[in-house]
Amino acid sequence: MKVSSKIKVILTAAILIFSSLPAFSYMVKYKEDYYKLFHVHYAQAPDDCMENIYWLEQAVKADFANPLYASVRIETEKDWEKYRYLFMMHINLKLIEQHMRLGRIYDKQVAHFYDAPWKDVYIDNLKKAKSCYEAGLVYWQEASLWAEKANTHGFNFLFLTDAQAWEDERERIGSGDLDYKKILSREIKRVQGVIDTFEKMEPKY
């Protein structure tokens, strides 16, 4: 048997052996697991946003992993309590961001007179955008609630250094620097105005 033939036989045997072995799968069960599946694309299509929203929603519903496997180092029960509040706040903020990204895909800033022939399509898309922004308001209520829990006096001198970004979000919500209610309400009002303009148009062009 030639050397090349022997190599082919060995490779074929190896493939057959490894293909018969049981595959090792990673069980997605806890909030932290689902959060790891969340990822932001440079240019997100609707399906990308919907996928992220799904994983984040699953993270909201799932249980927390044991503190040993938390996303940050946990030393005390007080750390563990604040971590849970910050995690839930952060997840809801990410849900707002993803709904805003999805909304912008369908959004149209201005209703031009020459858009009249396609007004029905634009109105349909604008209504999708509006519903995304309205959903964001629900998540903002949740994020604000969790931020408030993480801002109580009991945590005045407790700062999770491994969760610097989350702590910054909490601080910005507490100070009013981050206010998605204001942002989303403005966007909803603007979108409704564009819808109203389209609805008054005559498709004559």
Side-chain angles (χ1 to χ4, degrees):
M1 186 182 291
K2 295 181 179 180
V3 175
S4 60
S5 298
K6 287 182 179 179
I7 292 173
K8 287 181 181 179
V9 171
I10 292 170
L11 287 174
T12 302
I15 291 170
L16 289 172
I17 290 170
F18 283 110
S19 64
S20 64
L21 293 174
F24 291 96
S25 60
Y26 176 72
M27 181 177 289
V28 179
K29 182 178 180 181
Y30 298 106
K31 290 182 184 294
E32 291 85 353
D33 300 327
Y34 284 111
Y35 180 62
K36 288 176 184 176
L37 295 172
F38 160 74
H39 56 284
V40 178
H41 302 270
Y42 177 72
Q44 282 189 288
D47 287 348
D48 298 323
C49 292
M50 292 302 295
E51 179 189 352
N52 275 334
I53 289 170
Y54 174 79
W55 294 130
L56 292 169
E57 284 283 9
Q58 295 306 306
V60 169
K61 293 185 287 187
D63 294 326
F64 280 99
N66 185 283
L68 283 171
Y69 308 106
S71 300
V72 304
R73 185 175 60 182
I74 301 297
E75 298 287 350
T76 67
E77 289 188 16
K78 206 68 177 174
D79 290 348
W80 175 232
E81 182 183 1
K82 188 175 187 183
Y83 163 77
R84 298 198 308 273
Y85 296 157
L86 289 175
F87 188 100
M88 292 300 295
M89 174 204 70
H90 180 70
I91 288 291
N92 278 282
L93 290 177
K94 289 302 174 186
L95 278 162
I96 295 170
E97 290 176 9
Q98 287 301 302
H99 277 82
M100 289 184 71
R101 281 176 175 265
L102 185 59
R104 290 191 188 107
I105 292 171
Y106 297 107
D107 205 340
K108 184 169 174 61
Q109 298 293 316
V110 181
H112 299 287
F113 73 94
Y114 48 75
D115 294 324
W118 308 281
K119 59 177 279 187
D120 291 339
V121 175
Y122 284 125
I123 289 172
D124 184 56
N125 284 339
L126 284 161
K127 286 181 178 178
K128 290 177 183 177
K130 184 182 175 185
S131 68
C132 289
Y133 301 149
E134 288 172 339
L137 286 175
V138 177
Y139 294 115
W140 174 246
Q141 290 177 343
E142 285 294 311
S144 300
L145 175 64
W146 292 110
E148 185 179 344
K149 286 178 177 290
N151 258 334
T152 57
H153 294 299
F155 298 120
N156 277 354
F157 301 101
L158 175 60
F159 191 88
L160 300 182
T161 55
D162 291 344
Q164 175 73 52
W166 299 358
E167 291 279 16
D168 289 346
E169 289 171 344
R170 171 195 58 76
E171 183 65 28
R172 291 180 64 208
I173 292 173
S175 67
D177 289 340
L178 179 59
D179 187 350
Y180 273 120
K181 181 178 180 180
K182 182 178 179 180
I183 296 169
L184 289 163
S185 297
R186 183 181 63 226
E187 291 301 292
I188 291 168
K189 182 179 180 180
R190 177 189 57 76
V191 170
Q192 186 57 55
V194 180
I195 291 173
D196 293 342
T197 301
F198 269 121
E199 288 179 337
K200 294 173 184 177
M201 282 184 181
E202 292 295 332
K204 57 185 177 181
Y205 295 100

